[in-house]
Amino acid sequence: MGLIQAVKGAVGGVLADQWKDFYTVPAGLPATAALFAAVPQGTNAGRGSNTSGSSNIITNGSKIVVPEGYGLLLFQDGAITGFVAEPGGYEWRSDDLNSQSIFAGDGIVTPLIKQSWERFKFGGQPGGQQQAFFVSLKELPDNRFGTQSEIYWDDGFLNTQVGAVTRGSYTLKIVDPILFVKNFVPASYLQPGKVFDFTDMDNAAATQLFNEVVGSLAPAFSLYTNDPGKGNRITKLQQDSLGFAQSLSAAVEQGYQWKSDRGLAIVKTAIVSIEYDANTRELLKTVQRADALSGGRGNSNLQASVAQGIQSAGENGGAAGIMGVGMASGMMGGIGSLQQPVAPSAPAAPAADDPVAKLTKAKEMLDLGLITQADYDALKAKALGL
């Protein structure tokens, strides 16, 4: 009875696999799907007449449609035999006995007899395996990274080590599908119905990538902040998704050879947050103050501060307070020595020797308590030539 059943199963399998099929992308795929098997239209939409065909045999004359943004990998007995990167419709042709079909004009008696005999030797199953897989050539989004504790790197602008906790996401692209499948995708995903998704936390291979990205964050920050072309500012990180992506991709490649060994590359990043440690926050505050007090703006702030100090000294300390401020600043003319250098400008025209202006200024100084009445009288006499 076993022999009869084997023959029956072999012949039945051959007849079922004679039908041409229409292969396409499965329905309901997530946007982050990277690799998945092509499915016959009858499986995908339930309208096909052939419901008993083998899942690992593609009949000659079958059509495979490659959508935009995807590539097609062809397998024969586990080996990659072809790759298509251009979208469009393609017809499957193979010299393998299992693919020959009376509906494709391959003959009637001979293919049936040969296929039945081969399948009989394998207990009614095909003696070969043919598969078609789609691989995404798009940017795959929502690949997240984050650190639970501070990471540290040497910062060229601050000239010291800085630390931060950070999190964000990046887009990933398969730049070499053949390398990707040969060197990285586990064999368990090269089966019908399986979907390789980088965001699937149950995917051990995807988890490994996550760990490698986290391990590359500190070198990536160092590469970015120590690149003179980036201005050496960590404050630019959140605004420069492409620039930091290049630094992160370079760090990952240097540490783990994603592109050269696995055919993967990081394209863009989005840093959601950077929380600097206490020392780094203090350093950034100091840098911000220095930036705010640089150049002409700093001179204005400095002069206003000194003037406020003189006024406060006059109000609170009388002549003694003013004398102390005057000694520190060289009276009013000493403020100039505290100014920061600014860009040179056109020389100002010399002020006219106006006695009225001199007397007005002297009166203001008298009213502020900066000079005594005797000093004022002396200046008045000199200005009027008395």
Side-chain angles (χ1 to χ4, degrees):
M1 182 63 70
L3 179 61
I4 297 174
Q5 288 295 328
V7 172
K8 179 180 177 182
V11 175
V14 170
L15 292 175
D17 288 336
Q18 291 291 302
W19 291 89
K20 298 179 181 180
D21 285 309
F22 185 85
Y23 288 81
T24 186
V25 173
L29 283 172
T32 50
L35 181 75
F36 44 88
V39 297
Q41 186 71 19
T43 303
N44 190 35
R47 291 192 296 270
S49 299
N50 183 22
T51 58
S52 302
S54 303
S55 60
N56 58 354
I57 292 298
I58 304 176
T59 304
N60 280 344
S62 294
K63 290 287 185 68
I64 304 178
V65 175
V66 181
E68 289 281 359
Y70 292 94
L72 178 68
L73 283 167
L74 303 178
F75 289 78
Q76 175 77 34
D77 294 331
I80 297 176
T81 58
F83 173 67
V84 174
E86 294 293 327
Y90 297 86
E91 182 177 314
W92 172 270
R93 281 289 171 183
S94 173
D95 293 332
D96 189 274
L97 282 175
N98 294 287
S99 289
Q100 294 184 10
S101 167
I102 58 174
F103 300 115
D106 295 328
I108 299 178
V109 178
T110 304
L112 286 174
I113 294 174
K114 288 183 177 179
Q115 289 181 57
S116 298
W117 174 243
E118 289 296 320
R119 296 194 187 196
F120 170 72
K121 292 189 294 186
F122 287 95
Q125 299 297 318
Q129 186 181 61
Q130 300 164 342
Q131 293 173 304
F133 281 83
F134 289 111
V135 59
S136 178
L137 303 180
K138 305 176 183 180
E139 288 185 41
L140 299 170
D142 204 32
N143 300 280
R144 300 177 185 272
F145 64 81
T147 59
Q148 294 181 345
S149 58
E150 288 87 357
I151 56 173
Y152 292 91
W153 68 93
D154 293 328
D155 187 272
F157 179 74
L158 297 178
N159 198 29
T160 188
Q161 189 180 70
V162 299
V165 175
T166 184
R167 62 188 180 90
S169 63
Y170 61 91
T171 63
L172 192 62
K173 191 168 186 179
I174 301 171
V175 294
D176 190 329
I178 295 177
L179 270 182
F180 172 64
V181 172
K182 277 181 171 288
N183 295 345
F184 188 68
V185 177
S188 59
Y189 286 94
L190 298 177
Q191 302 292 333
K194 288 284 190 176
V195 176
F196 186 97
D197 190 337
F198 289 109
T199 64
D200 182 5
M201 296 310 295
D202 293 328
N203 183 343
T207 302
Q208 176 65 27
L209 294 182
F210 170 84
N211 294 333
E212 291 176 1
V213 169
V214 172
S216 302
L217 284 174
F221 282 129
S222 182
L223 284 173
Y224 186 90
T225 57
N226 291 294
D227 181 357
K230 303 292 191 302
N232 291 340
R233 296 290 185 112
I234 58 178
T235 51
K236 292 184 178 180
L237 281 169
Q238 290 175 277
Q239 306 166 6
D240 189 6
S241 62
L242 288 176
F244 182 67
Q246 292 171 355
S247 298
L248 182 57
S249 184
V252 167
E253 180 65 18
Q254 183 176 355
Y256 302 100
Q257 293 77 51
W258 275 24
K259 191 172 184 179
S260 56
D261 284 357
R262 300 170 177 171
L264 298 172
I266 292 173
V267 182
K268 296 185 183 70
T269 59
I271 298 179
V272 177
S273 67
I274 300 179
E275 300 173 10
Y276 300 107
D277 65 3
N279 292 336
T280 304
R281 287 197 297 270
E282 287 301 317
L283 284 171
L284 288 174
K285 287 180 182 178
T286 303
V287 170
Q288 289 170 348
R289 292 192 196 101
D291 288 345
L293 296 177
S294 62
R297 180 183 295 178
N299 291 337
S300 300
N301 290 336
L302 184 59
Q303 292 178 30
S305 299
V306 173
Q308 180 64 38
I310 292 174
Q311 182 175 349
S312 299
E315 294 173 353
N316 301 324
I322 295 172
M323 184 67 70
V325 174
M327 292 175 64
S329 62
M331 288 307 290
M332 298 300 290
I335 295 176
S337 65
L338 299 177
Q339 292 183 349
Q340 302 179 58
V342 296
S345 57
D353 193 14
D354 185 359
V356 176
K358 287 184 176 181
L359 288 176
T360 301
K361 185 175 182 179
K363 184 63 169 64
E364 291 176 353
M365 296 175 68
L366 176 63
D367 294 338
L368 290 172
L370 299 176
I371 60 176
T372 64
Q373 183 65 44
D375 294 332
Y376 174 76
D377 292 336
L379 288 172
K380 178 178 178 182
K382 183 177 180 181
L384 297 177
L386 300 176

